[in-house]
Amino acid sequence: MDLGYYAPLGAEALLTGVALLVVLLGLFVKNKNLGGYLSLIGLGIAMWMVASAKLGTTFFFDTMYVDGFSQFFKAVFLAVSILVVIASLSRYKNHPGQDEYYALLLFATVGMMVVASAIDLITLFVGFELASLSTYALAAFDKEKKNLEAAMKYFIFGAASSALLLFGFSLLYGMTGSTRIADIAAISMADFGPATLVALIFVIAGFAFKMALVPFHMWAPDTYEGSPTLVSALLAAGSKKMGFAAAFRIILVALMALRLEWYVAFAILAAVTMTLGNVVAVWQTNVRRMLAYSSVAQAGYIAIAFVVIGAVSGSTNPDATYISQLGLAGGLLQILGHALMKTGAFIAAGVVGYMVLREGKENPDDIENYAGLGQRAPITAFCMLIFLFALAGIPPTAGFVGKFVLFNAAYDAGLLWLVLLAILNSALSLYYYLRVIKYMYVYKPAGGRISEPKGYVLALLLATIAVVGIGVHPEPFIGWAMQAAAALLP
Amino acid sequence: MYSDYAYLIVGLPVLAFVLTIFLGWHLPKGGGFFTVLATFGGFILSYGIFKEIYPNEILHQSMHWFANFNVGILIDPLALVMLLMVTFVCTLIHTYALGYMDGDHGMARYFAEAGLFTASMLGLIFSDNILQLFIFWELVGLCSYLLIGFWYRKPSAAAAAKKAFLVTRVGDVMFLAAIVLLYNNLASLNLTLPPGEYLLQFKVIYQNVAAIPPDQLTYIALLFFGGAVGKSGQFPLHVWLPDAMEGPTTVSAMIHAATMVTAGVYLVARLFPLFYAAPSALLIVAYVGGFTALFAATMGLTAFDIKRVLAFSTVSQLGYMMLALGAGAVVGAASVGVSIFHLIGHSFLKALLFLCAGSVIHAVNTNDMREMGGVGKYMKYTAMTMAAGGLALAGFPLTTGFFSKDEILVVAWEYGSATTDFIPYILGILGALLTAFYTFRLWFVTFTGEPRSDYHKHESPWIMLGPLMVLAFFALFFGLGAQEPFYHYLESNFEHYDVNFEALAAVGQHHIEEGEAAHEPFIIKILPIIVGVGGILLAILFYYPRFRKLDTRKFTTENDPIRRILLKGYYQHEIYTAWFAETVVYGIALLSNMVDIKIVDATLNKISETTVAFGGSLRKAQTGIIQNYILAIIFGVVVLVVLIKLWLEVSI
């Protein structure tokens, strides 16, 4: 066997190895923080491997494929995991079960990376479940009552969705006789049976659970609120993006023949999701719940990418290819930006939660706890300010770049109504983002200055630099996303 | 070697800003030495670059930013002399401020903001494209706002800062509109630019001016001039500048005399080829400049606040610079050299005058000249250096101000003899007479005679006097040594871009005069000397106690309408603030407010109430019961199937 041939998948292999090593060492080594540092080093090397991997090779009898698209998503997943691990180094410093924590986190990351590369339904499902099962366990990691409830809801909802997804997959297999995406695409172009629509909707519903599109989002607010904060960050920023990675591959490539059907489905889902997410977010007084609904709304924006591609492909527009690539690139940029800023925002919420629990108060995520944060924890408050502005899409931040490219593509595709709706929604979202900022900077502090944990601060600063960096100098990132989009939609 | 570090010219003051704002509170003198050293470092770098590229090269560095915009550094003769002047004068003023601001609680804030200002001003100068220039332009405006309102607890300072910000905003909006219009016109030319060139770069603008339709060019030039009018305090947007004197005197010297206010002149000079192709815009530049020169000088005659006199004088001198540029329709690119030479000379002498005034205020603790008198007895050095600045401002022969103003008047004369339009010249020469008069009125009233109030009688410390001496030297002798090479160097500025002035003249339908107008009569040659010296003599007769022969009371009475108009500053306050702002604008504001509240807000409130209520009811769907959630999935699937089916039925 030629190991060099498998080098592009080295990152997955390495992380699996590190995860096993972390569990093993946990049995023998007293210094529990070792696992965290090992994971961090592993993730760092994996990031380098992903960045330098040779593109355009298939593996394992055409079930895995390494291309620009997969590497884009892998980089996003790894970036999120790195930020979460850095913050966890402070959070779980003396926790007895931290070897399991880091191992689960790494397994979840590997699962997501497999999904990004999968070009076969079975492989994709395995990756999907690996990531899901690891995060079910992570969601209950602190073993508090709230955790357990969150994890339970997440698990039951996830199981139901997996059932739908698997049912959809089996229908696809039944109609085409293959589990390979390329085969399904080829056969479905020729002929498709009457069960088509059912298969499509089941697949969409299965993915929409991960993407948290309305009405498949209901687990998200409860779970993001109830899980340990850093796990919420991983779920909102990482695992949710896995849903998009899978959906882009299956729906845009395998089911391109059903363009008309999914175009309508996603137009409805996108419009309903962003509106509902924002409108309900306005009501939230719990910051993590607000972030969860904002996350739902952001998923609505990202789903515009599907609508753009559905609207232009097959049309007579001479720029059809370019516009669909631009739409996908916009979605990807929004995914990248949202992953960074949402991780950052949840980590900032983590600092506040940490602070409140130390003071022995209840309801760590209540917005009242953010009063005067600008004076109590200046770095956290400032980073949170940047993330909130980025989420609202204010330049020069990553949030602006993503929305700009995405809305631009939607406009070019003739989806003026959707662009207007999205912009109105963005304006509405400012309301609840600014409210947090008002609490942080206008209201009187609720207590004295607090010491911000080092790991959290480092993760926050890294995320802030990335969010602002992308906003100030977007050109290379736009180029990168366009490259990834061109890999999927040649 | 220095050229490789050109970015540090802005980088160092930015670093100083960061250091002082975070660490200044813990350091002696608010960490002001960071700002001084950084600015001086900028001067060294600029001087090194000067040595490297003088006289035949320019320095251009650029990198891609996003879409079709770039960030870049362009140091050509025009930018270079400005860089040298700003770093030099700012270093001296920051040094002086170490003494002047000593003991102020906000010292760290002062030096941080001063550092940021210096950085923005330098960035404005060496921008290689108009968009970047605009960004720095706005930053400079922001710093100006912050520094005018430095003593923000004083209501008059806060009000002055607001006024400056709002009035210059009028100009800034026009500037932005000009950029948009220029961009649209350039974009519609469908140029294929070589890599590394961008639409809004000055080089590209210069080379494509001729292709833009003439009427569009005129609009663009006038809008740019609108921006310049706001920043450089030209009529009618000059009202903010005298009020800006509420800031510390060093701020007035640095921002509102020597550097920032010259940005407008610099903008017009920078875009001179564009203006040149739009002669009607240049005509307006000349008229506004000439009128401002005279108008502000008359107001300088009656002001009692020592800094306000200098502020009016600044407005007036900026008018001269505009006048020189406006005359460029006849003399061509030479007018840029003439105007910028006056700009540089004026920066030295006006910084000097302000700092001297600051030195006096520092000792006497009042701005009102009526409470001074006889200060010269106790502050010999200040009095002498201020006299040097005054002589230069008045245009006394062989001082810097003499050469530069003389040249502007010559240019104005040439303009007059070529177009038979002598109005700018007459405005200029009358202004020159008044300039000499009010400058020495200020000097005599302040430094001679008997003390008219009980003030502290002591000279300022050496850290303040040192910069005064250096500036006095330059105010007196800079013109003598630098004049000829300066004109020559600046005239070559546009040759680096192969600007074809004849083609541009053809666009603007006018001709360059080939020197035949230069034979002005003898009387015109010596008239500037006569008015300069004459103005000083008049001031001696009126205000120097030892030779007092004339009394103002003989010429005017309390009820003299001219005197009343001047004392009231042409009723500008009544017109701008009381009538225009408080009646017209306030009326419109009230009306808009009503429309806003009754119609716009009411509608929006209704919408937002509905939205929020909608959200509130939707929220109830989130029951927290997992069975309901699963039901939602099934519901979602069914609804999607039905909707897609319906849609396909309808659309096929």
Side-chain angles (χ1 to χ4, degrees):
Chain A
M1 194 167 91
D2 179 13
L3 274 180
Y5 175 74
Y6 290 98
L9 291 178
E12 286 89 336
L14 174 79
L15 289 183
T16 315
V18 173
L20 293 172
L21 187 67
V22 167
V23 180
L24 196 65
L25 284 179
L27 292 175
F28 306 110
V29 181
K30 287 272 176 267
N31 181 359
K32 291 283 191 173
N33 244 342
L34 185 69
Y37 289 111
L38 261 182
S39 315
L40 192 58
I41 294 167
L43 288 166
I45 298 174
M47 183 66 122
W48 172 74
M49 288 169 115
V50 163
S52 60
K54 189 163 81 62
L55 304 181
T57 333
T58 56
F59 301 94
F60 307 124
F61 309 102
D62 289 355
T63 54
M64 304 269 280
Y65 186 47
V66 172
D67 59 357
F69 177 80
S70 70
Q71 302 312 90
F72 186 95
F73 271 101
K74 287 180 192 174
V76 171
F77 299 146
L78 286 171
V80 171
S81 297
I82 287 174
L83 290 175
V84 170
V85 168
I86 292 176
S88 304
L89 286 175
S90 283
R91 174 70 180 82
Y92 295 110
K93 203 187 234 159
N94 299 312
H95 196 282
Q98 57 171 292
D99 43 344
E100 290 131 31
Y101 174 82
Y102 288 116
L104 283 169
L105 199 149
L106 289 178
F107 282 131
T109 313
V110 172
M112 298 179 209
M113 289 167 73
V114 169
V115 170
S117 263
I119 51 167
D120 182 277
L121 295 183
I122 304 291
T123 315
L124 189 135
F125 189 74
V126 170
F128 213 78
E129 287 303 300
L130 176 57
S132 297
L133 288 170
S134 310
T135 47
Y136 296 149
L138 278 176
F141 190 73
D142 283 353
K143 296 195 189 113
E144 290 158 8
K145 188 165 169 283
K146 242 184 156 178
N147 278 183
L148 296 175
E149 184 195 331
M152 204 59 207
K153 280 182 180 163
Y154 180 33
F155 174 66
I156 294 175
F157 207 97
S161 302
S162 288
L164 282 178
L165 185 64
L166 207 51
F167 196 15
F169 280 177
S170 68
L171 283 172
L172 282 181
Y173 177 70
M175 285 181 288
T176 59
S178 172
T179 55
R180 286 184 55 222
I181 287 176
D183 292 346
I184 296 173
I187 296 167
S188 67
M189 283 292 181
D191 182 33
F192 235 28
T196 326
L197 194 58
V198 180
L200 175 73
I201 298 299
F202 279 6
V203 170
I204 291 180
F207 290 140
F209 148 69
K210 274 288 175 211
M211 298 189 276
L213 297 179
V214 175
F216 309 102
H217 71 292
M218 305 196 90
W219 61 280
D222 292 3
T223 307
Y224 291 178
E225 185 197 345
S227 310
T229 317
L230 296 174
V231 176
S232 305
L234 185 73
L235 290 177
S239 134
K240 163 183 230 163
K241 306 301 180 286
M242 173 183 76
F244 279 101
F248 281 141
R249 272 225 200 268
I250 303 270
I251 290 167
L252 296 185
V253 179
L255 299 176
M256 198 54 169
L258 298 173
R259 186 180 67 77
L260 279 179
E261 284 83 354
W262 58 251
Y263 163 65
V264 182
F266 277 105
I268 297 166
L269 286 176
V272 172
T273 304
M274 58 190 170
T275 311
L276 191 127
N278 280 317
V279 168
V280 180
V282 168
W283 275 87
Q284 304 305 324
T285 52
N286 179 310
V287 172
R288 265 163 75 187
R289 228 176 148 75
M290 182 276 278
L291 286 175
Y293 278 107
S294 121
S295 191
V296 170
Q298 299 281 347
Y301 299 137
I302 301 172
I304 292 177
F306 289 102
V307 191
V308 169
I309 296 161
V312 293
S313 47
S315 73
T316 52
N317 191 332
D319 292 331
T321 318
Y322 173 74
I323 295 173
S324 45
Q325 283 178 3
L326 192 69
L328 184 53
L332 293 177
L333 281 171
Q334 186 69 4
I335 283 171
L336 171 69
H338 181 246
L340 291 167
M341 52 214 189
K342 210 24 99 42
T343 317
F346 270 114
I347 292 176
V351 175
V352 178
Y354 187 79
M355 164 187 101
V356 173
L357 287 182
R358 280 190 144 193
E359 290 168 354
K361 286 196 232 159
E362 298 271 297
N363 290 333
D365 298 312
D366 195 88
I367 194 163
E368 296 293 335
N369 292 323
Y370 287 72
L373 200 66
Q375 288 170 42
R376 304 190 66 190
I379 304 176
T380 309
F382 178 74
C383 294
M384 186 70 163
L385 171 91
I386 300 280
F387 299 137
L388 292 174
F389 275 144
L391 285 167
I394 289 170
T397 57
F400 171 73
V401 177
K403 276 188 186 165
F404 182 77
V405 176
L406 190 57
F407 295 176
N408 203 352
Y411 179 79
D412 286 346
L415 297 165
L416 190 60
W417 67 274
L418 197 56
V419 176
L420 286 178
L421 186 66
I423 289 174
L424 282 177
N425 263 300
S426 296
L428 176 60
S429 71
L430 259 178
Y431 173 81
Y432 54 86
Y433 293 132
L434 285 179
R435 192 173 51 191
V436 179
I437 293 172
K438 187 170 90 179
Y439 268 91
M440 292 196 303
Y441 284 98
V442 178
Y443 288 174
K444 287 226 158 29
R449 173 119 188 214
I450 48 165
S451 70
E452 299 161 84
K454 283 196 200 70
Y456 283 83
V457 169
L458 182 61
L460 283 173
L461 289 177
L462 285 176
T464 307
I465 291 169
V467 166
V468 176
I470 296 174
V472 172
H473 198 58
E475 200 68 22
F477 296 93
I478 295 177
W480 186 31
M482 278 304 274
Q483 214 182 336
L488 196 69
L489 299 169
Chain B
M1 168 220 161
Y2 289 99
S3 307
D4 300 334
Y5 299 100
Y7 61 91
L8 282 181
I9 296 176
V10 168
L12 288 174
V14 168
L15 188 68
F17 161 67
V18 174
L19 287 175
T20 39
I21 204 164
F22 286 113
L23 305 174
W25 309 98
H26 312 293
L27 294 171
K29 286 192 179 283
F33 45 86
F34 283 131
T35 308
V36 175
L37 286 179
T39 317
F40 187 63
F43 175 69
I44 302 273
L45 280 168
S46 308
Y47 188 73
I49 293 171
F50 172 70
K51 277 284 164 206
E52 280 172 13
I53 68 173
Y54 184 77
N56 291 325
E57 287 171 56
I58 60 170
L59 171 66
H60 185 205
Q61 299 163 351
S62 145
M63 64 178 251
H64 184 68
W65 185 18
F66 70 96
N68 38 9
F69 300 108
N70 73 315
V71 284
I73 297 174
L74 174 71
I75 303 184
D76 58 2
L78 181 58
L80 189 54
V81 294
M82 290 289 289
L83 284 179
L84 284 168
M85 180 278 284
V86 171
T87 48
F88 180 73
V89 173
C90 284
T91 306
L92 291 175
I93 295 175
H94 293 328
T95 313
Y96 176 97
L98 287 176
Y100 186 80
M101 297 300 290
D102 203 10
D104 195 294
H105 293 301
M107 225 179 157
R109 186 161 55 89
Y110 172 82
F111 280 108
E113 288 168 2
L116 183 63
F117 166 76
T118 313
S120 324
M121 185 67 203
L122 294 168
L124 185 157
I125 291 168
F126 75 16
S127 294
D128 86 326
N129 64 77
I130 193 78
L131 186 69
Q132 188 186 339
L133 193 150
F134 181 71
I135 293 170
F136 282 112
W137 176 280
E138 289 293 306
L139 270 176
V140 162
L142 170 73
C143 293
S144 161
Y145 166 78
L146 290 173
L147 284 166
I148 295 171
F150 181 72
W151 289 309
Y152 54 87
R153 289 183 204 282
K154 206 163 85 178
S156 59
K162 204 161 64 184
K163 184 170 182 181
F165 199 69
L166 290 177
V167 174
T168 47
R169 193 107 317 242
V170 176
D172 294 351
V173 170
M174 288 196 259
F175 189 170
L176 189 60
I179 296 178
V180 173
L181 198 57
L182 177 64
Y183 183 89
N184 279 347
N185 273 294
L186 286 174
S188 65
L189 295 177
N190 285 326
L191 303 169
T192 40
L193 294 172
E197 288 197 4
Y198 300 87
L199 267 192
L200 287 179
Q201 271 180 331
F202 291 119
K203 191 181 172 194
V204 178
I205 295 174
Y206 295 155
Q207 286 168 350
N208 296 298
V209 163
I212 298 175
D215 58 327
Q216 292 285 316
L217 265 184
T218 308
Y219 297 138
I220 295 169
L222 283 178
L223 285 170
F224 274 126
F225 183 59
V229 162
K231 206 59 136 195
S232 286
Q234 298 295 290
F235 181 83
L237 296 182
H238 61 284
V239 284
W240 66 273
L241 193 55
D243 288 17
M245 299 301 131
E246 288 291 342
T249 308
T250 44
V251 169
S252 311
M254 174 170 65
I255 299 183
H256 306 114
T259 59
M260 184 193 84
V261 289
T262 62
V265 178
Y266 178 74
L267 176 70
V268 177
R270 178 50 78 206
L271 294 171
F272 185 74
L274 195 151
F275 278 83
Y276 190 70
S280 30
L282 267 187
L283 184 70
I284 290 178
V285 174
Y287 268 84
V288 169
F291 179 71
T292 311
L294 180 61
F295 176 70
T298 58
M299 286 189 287
L301 292 176
T302 52
F304 289 110
D305 182 322
I306 187 168
K307 284 174 73 183
R308 274 180 172 261
V309 176
L310 293 176
F312 285 124
S313 144
T314 305
V315 172
S316 165
Q317 298 304 310
L318 290 165
Y320 278 103
M321 298 171 207
M322 289 295 186
L323 169 60
L325 287 167
V330 169
V331 295
S335 70
V336 173
V338 173
S339 174
I340 298 295
F341 189 63
H342 192 55
L343 190 161
I344 304 276
H346 173 257
S347 299
F348 293 135
L349 67 90
K350 195 49 70 62
L352 170 65
L353 287 172
F354 265 109
L355 295 185
C356 289
S359 179
V360 172
I361 294 167
H362 194 61
V364 181
N365 246 331
T366 173
N367 286 5
D368 195 330
M369 293 195 291
R370 285 171 295 192
E371 294 176 20
M372 294 177 183
V375 180
K377 229 176 290 173
Y378 314 102
M379 306 181 76
K380 286 210 165 52
Y381 293 108
T382 306
M384 275 177 346
T385 46
M386 191 145 188
L391 285 174
L393 178 59
F396 193 78
L398 301 183
T399 57
T400 306
F402 165 72
F403 288 114
S404 59
K405 200 183 292 175
D406 186 53
E407 199 63 32
I408 289 180
L409 291 171
V410 168
V411 168
W413 171 262
E414 284 179 22
Y415 178 80
S417 56
T419 59
T420 68
D421 174 10
F422 283 100
I423 293 171
Y425 177 75
I426 294 167
L427 292 171
I429 205 90
L430 285 177
L433 178 70
L434 296 182
T435 306
F437 183 74
Y438 68 69
T439 310
F440 277 87
R441 166 180 173 263
L442 179 148
W443 197 84
F444 287 124
V445 170
T446 307
F447 290 106
T448 63
E450 292 304 314
R452 287 184 289 273
S453 70
D454 185 27
Y455 53 76
H456 301 282
K457 303 176 173 73
H458 66 82
E459 180 62 287
S460 295
W462 275 103
I463 197 162
M464 289 164 67
L465 292 178
L468 294 185
M469 309 260 171
V470 180
L471 283 171
F473 177 82
F474 275 86
L476 288 177
F477 304 117
F478 175 72
L480 201 57
Q483 192 194 11
E484 280 310 316
F486 190 95
Y487 291 146
H488 191 69
Y489 188 44
L490 270 240
E491 205 175 341
S492 76
N493 190 57
F494 296 107
E495 288 166 16
H496 296 292
Y497 312 101
D498 302 323
V499 176
N500 184 349
F501 278 95
E502 278 168 20
L504 295 181
V507 174
Q509 295 172 341
H510 59 95
H511 312 285
I512 311 176
E513 299 299 321
E514 295 294 350
E516 73 269 23
H519 301 296
E520 67 265 32
F522 182 69
I523 180 72
I524 298 301
K525 274 188 187 155
I526 61 161
L527 198 54
I529 303 180
I530 295 174
V531 296
V533 177
I536 299 175
L537 287 175
L538 270 181
I540 290 176
L541 291 177
F542 273 108
Y543 294 105
Y544 190 38
R546 215 180 289 170
F547 297 108
R548 186 173 230 153
K549 294 278 181 290
L550 302 166
D551 194 336
T552 42
R553 262 159 285 180
K554 278 189 202 153
F555 295 89
T556 63
T557 58
E558 285 296 321
N559 292 324
D560 187 343
I562 298 180
R563 180 186 147 92
R564 287 231 321 248
I565 288 179
L566 287 181
L567 271 177
K568 281 278 186 184
Y570 293 96
Y571 294 95
Q572 287 176 74
H573 178 78
E574 282 72 9
I575 295 170
Y576 278 84
T577 310
W579 181 73
F580 186 70
E582 287 177 8
T583 313
V584 179
V585 178
Y586 188 64
I588 295 173
L590 276 184
L591 198 68
S592 326
N593 190 36
M594 214 164 72
V595 172
D596 203 40
I597 290 178
K598 298 272 183 214
I599 299 172
V600 181
D601 274 16
T603 320
L604 282 182
N605 281 344
K606 199 76 212 160
I607 294 178
S608 63
E609 271 168 28
T610 322
T611 316
V612 170
F614 177 55
S617 44
L618 279 181
R619 194 168 60 129
K620 300 199 179 100
Q622 190 84 22
T623 50
I625 300 166
I626 191 81
Q627 285 86 336
N628 295 355
Y629 293 4
I630 305 292
L631 202 64
I633 301 185
I634 307 305
F635 173 74
V637 168
V638 173
V639 167
L640 276 181
V641 171
V642 171
L643 282 180
I644 291 174
K645 266 288 166 208
L646 276 178
W647 167 264
L648 290 180
E649 291 296 321
V650 170
S651 65
I652 292 170

